[in-house]
Every structure is written in structure tokens, then in C-alpha cells.
Amino acid sequence: LTFPLLSVTLLVSFGSSMLYGYNLAVVNSPAVHIKAFYNATWFQRYGHSLASGPLTLLYSLTVSIFALGGLLGSLLVGVMVERYGRNGTLSRSTLLVLLAGGFMGFSRELGSPEMVIVGRSIMGFHSGICLSVVPLYLGEIAPKNLRGFLGLVPSIFICLGVFFAQVLGLPELLGKDRFWPLFLAVVVVPASLQLLLLHCFPESPRYLLIERNDVYGATKALHRFLGTPDVQEVIEEMKEEQRSLSTMEMVSVWQLLRDRSVRWQTLSVVVVNAGMQLSGIDAIWFYTNTIFENAGIPLSQIPYTTVGTGAIEVVAGLIGCFTIEKLGRRPLIITGFCAMGICSAGITVSLLLQTPVPWMRYVSVACVVGIIAGFCMGPAGVPFLMTAELFTQSHRPAAYIVGGSLNWLCNFTVGFVFPFLQMSAGAFCYLVFCGICLLVALYVYLVIPETKNKTFMEISNIFA
């Protein structure tokens, strides 16, 4: 593990992945203030306040538009990484954060709820790009024995992003009514740091050699990342992959879906990415305060309870990162989904029993913590890592488009539908998440092989 390899991993995780986690949770604590701003603006414009239903709809749109932007961003990943490379795409995408931060930061001054929604959608567009490109870049620059470790570092920063949003959202910090635009716009700080420093690191060697046929550039990049003059073995492995793909161009999404030789890899990416979002984790992150309020936690204690869950998810992410190379990908992801499924069922039981048994509210909190910890130990980062590992260079960008699109589509569905599902099904809505988690764990157990310490060609041959 060299200094340049660790540095670029921390930089792109801090400047890109962390912003995804931050924006998942940033709308949770200022929800009351944002709704009040929408109501006041509506009254100024039209002379009457918004009814409860339309206000809920407008706020749900503010929450879930982030996912629609992410969906659009994920669809453009293939074009951008082919044209600009992995490093180049990440550098250019930071400009989107500066634009989104400006929209959200000045929205109240200009009396425009539309600016909040547009800013959220642009942030989603940025996250849709980076959520695929960061693991793609790290998966291609990492030696095979470090691919799991470096591949899960972004998931730790996603958890850190959520945690920072929860801490900054406390009433003593940016949780006050006058600070919520600043709270939304803080994202420009890590993005600016990435924009300043990322050009100091080279492009992905695999991209340079296999797609650009730049042997000199790839060799130079490997010297920098691996810190050794002897990189001939790695160059030969990449040339072997290049020769095997010499008759094949970069495949499109449609070609990927029709290619029978990678049918099980594609299905695995679909199941794991859709299952990751439909597991209910987004409902927990978007609506943590509402869930704790329904569980009977006193309003004054909810912000601090939420911060506590955030701290636990960071610890869980660190455990997953430092154990993935020892335990492997499959055990972590299976254990994570099983834990989430059991805890989702536990929330249903605790909410149903909290009236006759008051202490069941603490069981609800424990189950929320269990869902977050289970997610951060495996499902948070392993699906993106597995997408890089299950495909060769020609299929990888298209696979990230498929996985990323499903990821964001399911993210939007949960963010938009959950408040209405909660109103109609009550405590039983969490049983839906329970069933999905257990089915995904069963699929991974039966179908997906272990991929640690294997080259991309070896993994492809296992499926073949």
C-alpha cells in the first residue's frame, strides 16, 4: 500500500463518495425548516398556505429528486469515462457540486424553493457519476490483493458523509432555521479540495493501456501507484486482457443485456444493486427523525439519537473495510443483508408492541442501528466493487450504467413512496424490506462466487 495509492483513494472518497452520503442525510434534520420555507414562499406568492398533502408531496420531491439526478448521471458514465478517462471524469464532475451549492445556498435569499430542488437534482447528477466512477477508478489502479480494501474505503466515506450531516444538523450547529441553506451548501468545500488536488495523480493504467494503447503512460502510472520499478508482470496481465478483447469494442448497455456469455454476471449486478436500495436503508437515512418519532423517542432526544446511529455506521464501515480481504466479499454481503432483514422485521414488531410495552421504543432504535450497521459492513460498498470485478474492461462501463441506473431508480422509488407507504401500511411497511433483504442474501449465497485475490480474467473464467 503506497502513499500515492492511499492518497488518491482518500481524496476521491472524501471529495466524491462522502458527498453522496452527506446528501442522503442532509434533508433529514432541517425538514421542518424547509417545509416552513416552502409554506411561507407559497403564501407570499399566492396568498394562502399549502395543505398537508401537497406540502408532503413537494418535500418528497425535494428528497427524491436527488435520485432522479443520480439516475441521469449514471446513464452518462459510460460515455464520460471513455472520453475523459476515470480521473478526468471525476475532476470535471466537481464543477457540478459548485453549481449545486450555489443554487441551494442562495435559495432562501432569493425566495425560490425551485432552487433547492434544482440544486438537489444537480447534486444527484454528480453522485450518479461518482458512485460508479470512484469504485471503477480504484478497482483499476489497485493491486488484486488490495482491491477489496481500497474498494470499501469509499463506503466508509459514504457513512462519514451521513454522520457529518447528522452532526452538523444538531440544533447547536447548523440545525437552526437560519442556517439550513448553508447546511445544504457545505458540499462545496470537499469538492473544491478534490478539484485542486486530483490532477496531481495519474489516470488509470488499465484505461491508458487497454483503451488508449498508451503503454508508456500506463507504465509511468503503475510506477507511481505501486512504487516499484518492476511492473512488467502487471503490464503483461493487462496486455493479455487487451489481446482477449482485441476483436471486441466497448459494448453498449443493449449489447451487454443481450450477451449470453455474461448473463449471470449481469443478473448478479441487477439483483445486488436493486436489493441494496430496496433494502430500506434509504428510508432509514431520509426519514430517521420521523421513524424515531413514531417509535416514541422524545423530540428533544431525536437529533442526538440520530448522531449516535451515524457513529455506529462509521465503525461498521471500518470493520467491513479491514475484514473484507480476510473474510471475502460473499460472507460480508450475505451477513449484511441477513442482519438488515431481521432488523426490519424487528422494527415492525417493536412498533406494534410499543403501546403495551413502552420499552419497545428502544428495540426500534436498536433495530435501526442494526440495519445501518449491517448495510455499512457489506452492502454499502461491495456491490460497486463486485461490478468492477465481475466484468472485463470491454463490459465494465456498461455494467456500471446498468447497476447505477437500477441503484438510483430504486433509490428514487423508496424516497418518494416511503412516506405514503408508511401512512397506508403503518408498521407493516418494514416487512417488505425484510423479504427483499433475505431474498438477495439467498441469491448471493447460491449464485455469486468469491472473487478475492483473483484477476479479472480468472473471475470471468469462473462464470464461464
Short mmCIF file of all heavy atoms in Angstrom, two decimals, residues 330-367:
data_model
loop_
_atom_site.label_atom_id
_atom_site.label_comp_id
_atom_site.label_asym_id
_atom_site.label_seq_id
_atom_site.Cartn_x
_atom_site.Cartn_y
_atom_site.Cartn_z
N ARG A 330 -18.36 -12.41 -0.35
CA ARG A 330 -19.64 -13.09 -0.13
C ARG A 330 -20.08 -13.10 1.34
O ARG A 330 -21.23 -12.76 1.65
CB ARG A 330 -19.61 -14.51 -0.67
CG ARG A 330 -19.54 -14.60 -2.19
CD ARG A 330 -19.40 -16.03 -2.68
NE ARG A 330 -20.64 -16.75 -2.59
CZ ARG A 330 -20.86 -17.78 -1.78
NH1 ARG A 330 -19.92 -18.18 -0.93
NH2 ARG A 330 -22.02 -18.40 -1.77
N PRO A 331 -19.21 -13.50 2.28
CA PRO A 331 -19.66 -13.52 3.68
C PRO A 331 -20.14 -12.15 4.18
O PRO A 331 -21.15 -12.06 4.90
CB PRO A 331 -18.43 -13.99 4.45
CG PRO A 331 -17.62 -14.74 3.45
CD PRO A 331 -17.85 -14.05 2.14
N LEU A 332 -19.43 -11.09 3.78
CA LEU A 332 -19.82 -9.76 4.25
C LEU A 332 -21.18 -9.35 3.71
O LEU A 332 -22.02 -8.83 4.44
CB LEU A 332 -18.77 -8.73 3.82
CG LEU A 332 -17.53 -8.58 4.71
CD1 LEU A 332 -16.63 -7.49 4.17
CD2 LEU A 332 -17.91 -8.26 6.15
N ILE A 333 -21.40 -9.57 2.43
CA ILE A 333 -22.65 -9.11 1.83
C ILE A 333 -23.83 -9.97 2.28
O ILE A 333 -24.93 -9.46 2.50
CB ILE A 333 -22.52 -9.04 0.28
CG1 ILE A 333 -23.60 -8.11 -0.28
CG2 ILE A 333 -22.59 -10.39 -0.36
CD1 ILE A 333 -23.36 -7.72 -1.71
N ILE A 334 -23.61 -11.27 2.44
CA ILE A 334 -24.69 -12.15 2.92
C ILE A 334 -25.05 -11.80 4.36
O ILE A 334 -26.24 -11.66 4.71
CB ILE A 334 -24.27 -13.63 2.81
CG1 ILE A 334 -24.17 -14.05 1.34
CG2 ILE A 334 -25.27 -14.54 3.54
CD1 ILE A 334 -23.53 -15.40 1.12
N THR A 335 -24.03 -11.64 5.22
CA THR A 335 -24.29 -11.29 6.62
C THR A 335 -25.00 -9.95 6.72
O THR A 335 -25.93 -9.78 7.52
CB THR A 335 -22.96 -11.24 7.40
OG1 THR A 335 -22.29 -12.49 7.27
CG2 THR A 335 -23.20 -10.94 8.87
N GLY A 336 -24.56 -8.97 5.90
CA GLY A 336 -25.17 -7.65 5.95
C GLY A 336 -26.64 -7.67 5.59
O GLY A 336 -27.48 -7.10 6.29
N PHE A 337 -26.99 -8.35 4.49
CA PHE A 337 -28.39 -8.40 4.07
C PHE A 337 -29.25 -9.18 5.08
O PHE A 337 -30.39 -8.80 5.35
CB PHE A 337 -28.52 -9.03 2.68
CG PHE A 337 -28.36 -8.04 1.56
CD1 PHE A 337 -27.27 -8.08 0.71
CD2 PHE A 337 -29.30 -7.03 1.37
CE1 PHE A 337 -27.12 -7.16 -0.32
CE2 PHE A 337 -29.16 -6.10 0.34
CZ PHE A 337 -28.07 -6.17 -0.50
N CYS A 338 -28.71 -10.27 5.64
CA CYS A 338 -29.48 -11.03 6.64
C CYS A 338 -29.75 -10.18 7.88
O CYS A 338 -30.86 -10.19 8.42
CB CYS A 338 -28.72 -12.31 7.02
SG CYS A 338 -28.74 -13.59 5.76
N ALA A 339 -28.73 -9.44 8.34
CA ALA A 339 -28.90 -8.59 9.51
C ALA A 339 -29.95 -7.52 9.25
O ALA A 339 -30.80 -7.23 10.11
CB ALA A 339 -27.57 -7.95 9.89
N MET A 340 -29.92 -6.93 8.04
CA MET A 340 -30.89 -5.89 7.70
C MET A 340 -32.31 -6.46 7.65
O MET A 340 -33.27 -5.82 8.10
CB MET A 340 -30.53 -5.27 6.35
CG MET A 340 -29.23 -4.48 6.39
SD MET A 340 -28.66 -4.03 4.74
CE MET A 340 -29.82 -2.73 4.34
N GLY A 341 -32.46 -7.66 7.09
CA GLY A 341 -33.78 -8.28 7.01
C GLY A 341 -34.37 -8.58 8.38
O GLY A 341 -35.54 -8.28 8.66
N ILE A 342 -33.54 -9.13 9.25
CA ILE A 342 -34.01 -9.47 10.61
C ILE A 342 -34.39 -8.21 11.38
O ILE A 342 -35.41 -8.15 12.07
CB ILE A 342 -32.92 -10.27 11.35
CG1 ILE A 342 -32.74 -11.65 10.69
CG2 ILE A 342 -33.28 -10.44 12.83
CD1 ILE A 342 -31.51 -12.39 11.14
N CYS A 343 -33.55 -7.16 11.25
CA CYS A 343 -33.83 -5.91 11.98
C CYS A 343 -35.04 -5.18 11.42
O CYS A 343 -35.76 -4.51 12.17
CB CYS A 343 -32.60 -5.00 11.94
SG CYS A 343 -31.22 -5.61 12.93
N SER A 344 -35.30 -5.30 10.11
CA SER A 344 -36.53 -4.70 9.55
C SER A 344 -37.76 -5.34 10.15
O SER A 344 -38.72 -4.65 10.50
CB SER A 344 -36.53 -4.87 8.02
OG SER A 344 -35.50 -4.14 7.41
N ALA A 345 -37.73 -6.67 10.28
CA ALA A 345 -38.84 -7.36 10.94
C ALA A 345 -38.94 -6.94 12.40
O ALA A 345 -40.04 -6.79 12.95
CB ALA A 345 -38.65 -8.87 10.83
N GLY A 346 -37.79 -6.70 13.03
CA GLY A 346 -37.78 -6.27 14.43
C GLY A 346 -38.42 -4.90 14.61
O GLY A 346 -39.11 -4.66 15.63
N ILE A 347 -38.24 -3.97 13.65
CA ILE A 347 -38.89 -2.66 13.73
C ILE A 347 -40.40 -2.82 13.71
O ILE A 347 -41.13 -2.17 14.48
CB ILE A 347 -38.43 -1.74 12.58
CG1 ILE A 347 -36.97 -1.35 12.77
CG2 ILE A 347 -39.27 -0.47 12.53
CD1 ILE A 347 -36.41 -0.47 11.68
N THR A 348 -40.90 -3.69 12.82
CA THR A 348 -42.35 -3.93 12.75
C THR A 348 -42.88 -4.41 14.09
O THR A 348 -43.88 -3.89 14.61
CB THR A 348 -42.67 -4.96 11.66
OG1 THR A 348 -42.25 -4.45 10.39
CG2 THR A 348 -44.16 -5.27 11.61
N VAL A 349 -42.21 -5.40 14.68
CA VAL A 349 -42.67 -5.97 15.95
C VAL A 349 -42.63 -4.92 17.06
O VAL A 349 -43.58 -4.77 17.84
CB VAL A 349 -41.79 -7.19 16.33
CG1 VAL A 349 -42.13 -7.67 17.74
CG2 VAL A 349 -41.97 -8.30 15.33
N SER A 350 -41.55 -4.15 17.12
CA SER A 350 -41.40 -3.17 18.20
C SER A 350 -42.43 -2.04 18.08
O SER A 350 -42.95 -1.57 19.10
CB SER A 350 -39.99 -2.59 18.21
OG SER A 350 -39.71 -1.92 16.99
N LEU A 351 -42.74 -1.61 16.84
CA LEU A 351 -43.74 -0.56 16.66
C LEU A 351 -45.13 -1.06 17.03
O LEU A 351 -45.95 -0.31 17.57
CB LEU A 351 -43.73 -0.06 15.21
CG LEU A 351 -42.50 0.76 14.79
CD1 LEU A 351 -42.60 1.14 13.32
CD2 LEU A 351 -42.35 2.01 15.65
N LEU A 352 -45.43 -2.32 16.75
CA LEU A 352 -46.75 -2.88 17.08
C LEU A 352 -46.92 -3.05 18.59
O LEU A 352 -48.03 -2.95 19.11
CB LEU A 352 -46.94 -4.23 16.38
CG LEU A 352 -47.09 -4.20 14.85
CD1 LEU A 352 -47.12 -5.62 14.29
CD2 LEU A 352 -48.37 -3.45 14.46
N LEU A 353 -45.80 -3.29 19.30
CA LEU A 353 -45.89 -3.59 20.73
C LEU A 353 -45.56 -2.41 21.63
O LEU A 353 -45.60 -2.53 22.85
CB LEU A 353 -44.94 -4.75 21.08
CG LEU A 353 -45.24 -6.12 20.46
CD1 LEU A 353 -44.20 -7.13 20.88
CD2 LEU A 353 -46.63 -6.60 20.87
N GLN A 354 -45.21 -1.24 21.04
CA GLN A 354 -44.70 -0.16 21.88
C GLN A 354 -45.76 0.43 22.81
O GLN A 354 -45.43 0.97 23.86
CB GLN A 354 -44.10 0.95 21.02
CG GLN A 354 -45.11 1.79 20.26
CD GLN A 354 -44.43 2.95 19.56
OE1 GLN A 354 -43.29 2.86 19.16
NE2 GLN A 354 -45.15 4.03 19.41
N THR A 355 -47.06 0.35 22.41
CA THR A 355 -48.10 0.90 23.29
C THR A 355 -48.24 0.08 24.58
O THR A 355 -48.16 0.63 25.68
CB THR A 355 -49.44 0.97 22.55
OG1 THR A 355 -49.27 1.78 21.39
CG2 THR A 355 -50.51 1.59 23.45
N PRO A 356 -48.41 -1.26 24.51
CA PRO A 356 -48.48 -2.03 25.77
C PRO A 356 -47.12 -2.20 26.45
O PRO A 356 -47.05 -2.42 27.65
CB PRO A 356 -49.03 -3.39 25.33
CG PRO A 356 -48.68 -3.50 23.89
CD PRO A 356 -48.70 -2.11 23.34
N VAL A 357 -46.03 -2.12 25.69
CA VAL A 357 -44.70 -2.34 26.27
C VAL A 357 -43.83 -1.12 25.93
O VAL A 357 -43.16 -1.08 24.90
CB VAL A 357 -44.05 -3.63 25.71
CG1 VAL A 357 -42.75 -3.93 26.46
CG2 VAL A 357 -45.01 -4.79 25.76
N PRO A 358 -43.82 -0.08 26.80
CA PRO A 358 -43.14 1.19 26.47
C PRO A 358 -41.66 1.04 26.12
O PRO A 358 -41.16 1.79 25.28
CB PRO A 358 -43.33 2.02 27.74
CG PRO A 358 -44.53 1.43 28.41
CD PRO A 358 -44.51 -0.03 28.10
N TRP A 359 -40.96 0.09 26.76
CA TRP A 359 -39.53 -0.01 26.49
C TRP A 359 -39.22 -0.54 25.09
O TRP A 359 -38.06 -0.55 24.65
CB TRP A 359 -38.81 -0.86 27.54
CG TRP A 359 -39.37 -2.26 27.72
CD1 TRP A 359 -40.26 -2.65 28.65
CD2 TRP A 359 -39.04 -3.42 26.95
NE1 TRP A 359 -40.53 -4.00 28.53
CE2 TRP A 359 -39.79 -4.49 27.49
CE3 TRP A 359 -38.20 -3.67 25.87
CZ2 TRP A 359 -39.72 -5.78 26.98
CZ3 TRP A 359 -38.14 -4.96 25.35
CH2 TRP A 359 -38.89 -5.99 25.89
N MET A 360 -40.27 -0.97 24.33
CA MET A 360 -40.03 -1.44 22.96
C MET A 360 -39.52 -0.33 22.05
O MET A 360 -38.99 -0.60 20.98
CB MET A 360 -41.32 -2.04 22.39
CG MET A 360 -41.73 -3.37 22.99
SD MET A 360 -40.50 -4.66 22.81
CE MET A 360 -40.67 -5.05 21.07
N ARG A 361 -39.70 0.93 22.46
CA ARG A 361 -39.16 2.03 21.64
C ARG A 361 -37.64 1.89 21.50
O ARG A 361 -37.07 2.25 20.46
CB ARG A 361 -39.50 3.38 22.26
CG ARG A 361 -38.77 3.69 23.55
CD ARG A 361 -39.16 5.03 24.15
NE ARG A 361 -40.56 5.04 24.53
CZ ARG A 361 -41.15 6.04 25.18
NH1 ARG A 361 -40.44 7.09 25.51
NH2 ARG A 361 -42.42 5.98 25.51
N TYR A 362 -36.99 1.38 22.54
CA TYR A 362 -35.54 1.21 22.48
C TYR A 362 -35.15 0.05 21.56
O TYR A 362 -34.07 0.03 20.97
CB TYR A 362 -34.97 1.03 23.88
CG TYR A 362 -35.29 2.19 24.78
CD1 TYR A 362 -36.21 2.08 25.81
CD2 TYR A 362 -34.71 3.44 24.55
CE1 TYR A 362 -36.53 3.16 26.62
CE2 TYR A 362 -35.01 4.54 25.35
CZ TYR A 362 -35.93 4.39 26.38
OH TYR A 362 -36.25 5.48 27.16
N VAL A 363 -36.04 -0.93 21.44
CA VAL A 363 -35.84 -2.02 20.47
C VAL A 363 -35.88 -1.45 19.05
O VAL A 363 -35.11 -1.85 18.17
CB VAL A 363 -36.89 -3.13 20.66
CG1 VAL A 363 -36.73 -4.21 19.60
CG2 VAL A 363 -36.78 -3.74 22.05
N SER A 364 -36.79 -0.50 18.81
CA SER A 364 -36.85 0.16 17.50
C SER A 364 -35.52 0.83 17.16
O SER A 364 -35.01 0.70 16.04
CB SER A 364 -37.96 1.22 17.48
OG SER A 364 -39.22 0.64 17.58
N VAL A 365 -34.97 1.55 18.14
CA VAL A 365 -33.68 2.22 17.93
C VAL A 365 -32.59 1.19 17.64
O VAL A 365 -31.78 1.35 16.72
CB VAL A 365 -33.30 3.08 19.15
CG1 VAL A 365 -31.91 3.68 18.98
CG2 VAL A 365 -34.33 4.18 19.37
N ALA A 366 -32.58 0.09 18.43
CA ALA A 366 -31.57 -0.95 18.23
C ALA A 366 -31.69 -1.57 16.84
O ALA A 366 -30.67 -1.88 16.20
CB ALA A 366 -31.73 -2.03 19.31
N CYS A 367 -32.92 -1.75 16.36
CA CYS A 367 -33.12 -2.34 15.04
C CYS A 367 -32.67 -1.38 13.93
O CYS A 367 -32.10 -1.81 12.92
CB CYS A 367 -34.59 -2.73 14.83
SG CYS A 367 -35.10 -4.14 15.82
#
